Amino acid sequence: MSVSTPEAVGAYLRGLQQRIVDAVEQADGGTALRDAWQKAPGEPLQGSGLTCILEGGALFERAGCGFSQVSGPKLPPSATQHRPELAGAPFEAMGVSLVFHPRNPYVPTVHMNVRMLAALPAGGEPVCWFGGGMDLTPYYGFEDDARHFHQTCRAALAPFGDDKYPRFKTWCDDYFFLKHRNEPRGVGGIFFDDFAEPGFKQSFAMLRSVGDAFLPAYLPIVERRRDMAWGERERDFQLYRRGRYVEFNLVWDRGTHFGLQSGGRTESILLSMPPLASWAYRREPEAGTPEAALTRDFLVRREWV
């Protein structure tokens, strides 16, 4: 099979999901539920996928990794805001998306997504573009964790031009930002969307490089932090900060909006939600505490590498 076809993208994505789920099970010691699904005839969105989710594990309180390959008669508004000429065109979309919520508050939450979308305008050639990236959301900040994550992201993009990491890092900082709170979601990473500048083959190669970099970017951080002792104070702060994660995903995330607007599978779309989260009215951490350091030193725009 040529690496320059949508079929090759689907084969790569299914293999990537398998590798990541295997690594999660090995790190946690638990077994993920594998839920294969197929959209029912007559629904506006057709297609299938595999949702893998590990809940209640020793390491991961909730770790979801989903693959989907779907098609629909009309691109939703969230997919055409930068491509108005394709509004209303039929489409095919495929991708792997994951969010891992660890049990230990010292282990950061992580998100990764890699995807391809193809619009099929009437009387024209298919228009394909790629998107994705990864970002890290710590509850307690560690400089070496943030540097490692960004160094791995930068190395993944280096073969595709020196401009890609700074450009996609800035895009990530801009995107994963809670505008209603004027606050970053975490320490960022990389993000790109509507990407097809170098053509299909090179765009797909970059997508593979980003997908393949996920486990080397995240697992060393997990291993460094997973055995750190924590108690009620750290757990309480973790749940409070998880509330911010929920706010972003429901209010601002284009992937969530795309899935819900297009008639996607709700259970799979919302696998990014943590099992528990909390909110508090005007909560401010005490000065000089590790909780205050998160906002002061990590939830700010900065160059990590």
Side-chain angles (χ1 to χ4, degrees):
M1 180 185 296
S2 168
V3 297
S4 301
T5 66
E7 290 79 10
V9 179
Y12 167 75
L13 292 171
R14 285 188 290 270
L16 176 66
Q17 181 193 35
Q18 183 64 56
R19 284 187 281 135
I20 291 172
V21 173
D22 287 348
V24 165
E25 290 178 326
Q26 182 175 1
D28 184 275
T31 302
L33 169 70
R34 288 162 170 80
D35 183 17
W37 53 268
Q38 179 88 33
K39 297 295 288 184
E43 292 194 31
L45 203 65
Q46 290 295 295
S48 61
L50 177 65
T51 298
C52 300
I53 187 160
L54 191 155
E55 294 190 286
L59 174 60
F60 294 106
E61 194 168 6
R62 191 172 208 232
C65 181
F67 166 77
S68 63
Q69 186 168 0
V70 297
S71 60
K74 183 179 178 181
L75 277 165
S78 58
T80 58
Q81 52 187 279
H82 300 302
R83 295 173 181 265
E85 73 279 6
L86 297 176
F91 70 94
E92 180 179 12
M94 63 184 78
V96 167
S97 183
L98 66 83
V99 176
F100 296 164
H101 292 289
R103 187 175 297 280
N104 188 324
Y106 289 109
V107 182
T109 284
V110 71
H111 158 258
M112 192 275 288
N113 173 267
V114 282
R115 59 191 180 273
M116 186 199 80
L117 199 149
L120 311 168
E125 292 293 318
V127 180
C128 299
W129 64 94
F130 295 83
M134 64 184 93
D135 66 289
L136 196 69
T137 305
Y139 305 102
Y140 289 88
F142 296 93
E143 297 268 345
D144 51 348
D145 293 352
R147 283 195 300 269
H148 168 80
F149 193 80
H150 278 268
Q151 285 168 347
T152 309
C153 288
R154 183 177 64 178
L157 294 171
F160 305 95
D162 293 340
D163 64 309
K164 297 302 184 297
Y165 170 74
R167 176 181 162 193
F168 295 168
K169 191 262 186 194
T170 299
W171 203 342
C172 186
D173 289 340
D174 290 341
Y175 182 78
F176 292 105
F177 189 83
L178 287 81
K179 300 178 182 67
H180 61 289
R181 293 191 182 274
N182 193 33
E183 177 184 286
R185 187 167 85 172
V187 298
I190 53 174
F191 177 82
F192 61 98
D193 202 4
D194 298 331
F195 186 81
E197 297 161 16
F200 187 99
K201 186 175 181 179
Q202 276 295 96
S203 298
F204 179 29
M206 191 183 79
L207 186 87
R208 296 197 305 273
S209 188
V210 170
D212 293 346
F214 170 71
L215 291 173
Y218 184 57
L219 287 185
I221 297 171
V222 172
E223 292 305 315
R224 277 202 292 264
R225 308 299 168 197
R226 63 181 297 170
D227 294 326
M228 292 182 66
W230 56 277
E232 183 177 345
R233 168 180 171 165
E234 291 83 3
R235 175 63 164 173
D236 179 63
F237 188 65
Q238 178 195 47
L239 297 184
Y240 164 68
R241 292 301 312 174
R242 279 182 180 175
R244 296 288 206 269
Y245 208 90
V246 173
E247 289 178 22
F248 179 86
N249 280 12
L250 295 182
V251 176
W252 299 110
D253 186 63
R254 283 178 59 192
T256 302
H257 296 169
F258 174 89
L260 297 176
Q261 290 171 358
S262 62
R265 188 172 186 263
T266 302
E267 284 295 310
S268 298
I269 295 164
L270 297 181
L271 63 74
S272 62
M273 296 296 109
L276 295 171
S278 68
W279 283 262
Y281 183 71
R282 300 188 66 179
R283 175 171 176 166
E284 295 290 340
E286 293 183 26
T289 63
E291 293 79 12
L294 177 74
T295 301
R296 184 191 68 230
D297 299 331
F298 292 87
L299 298 184
V300 292
R301 286 183 182 240
R302 56 183 285 192
E303 298 303 318
W304 294 102
V305 294

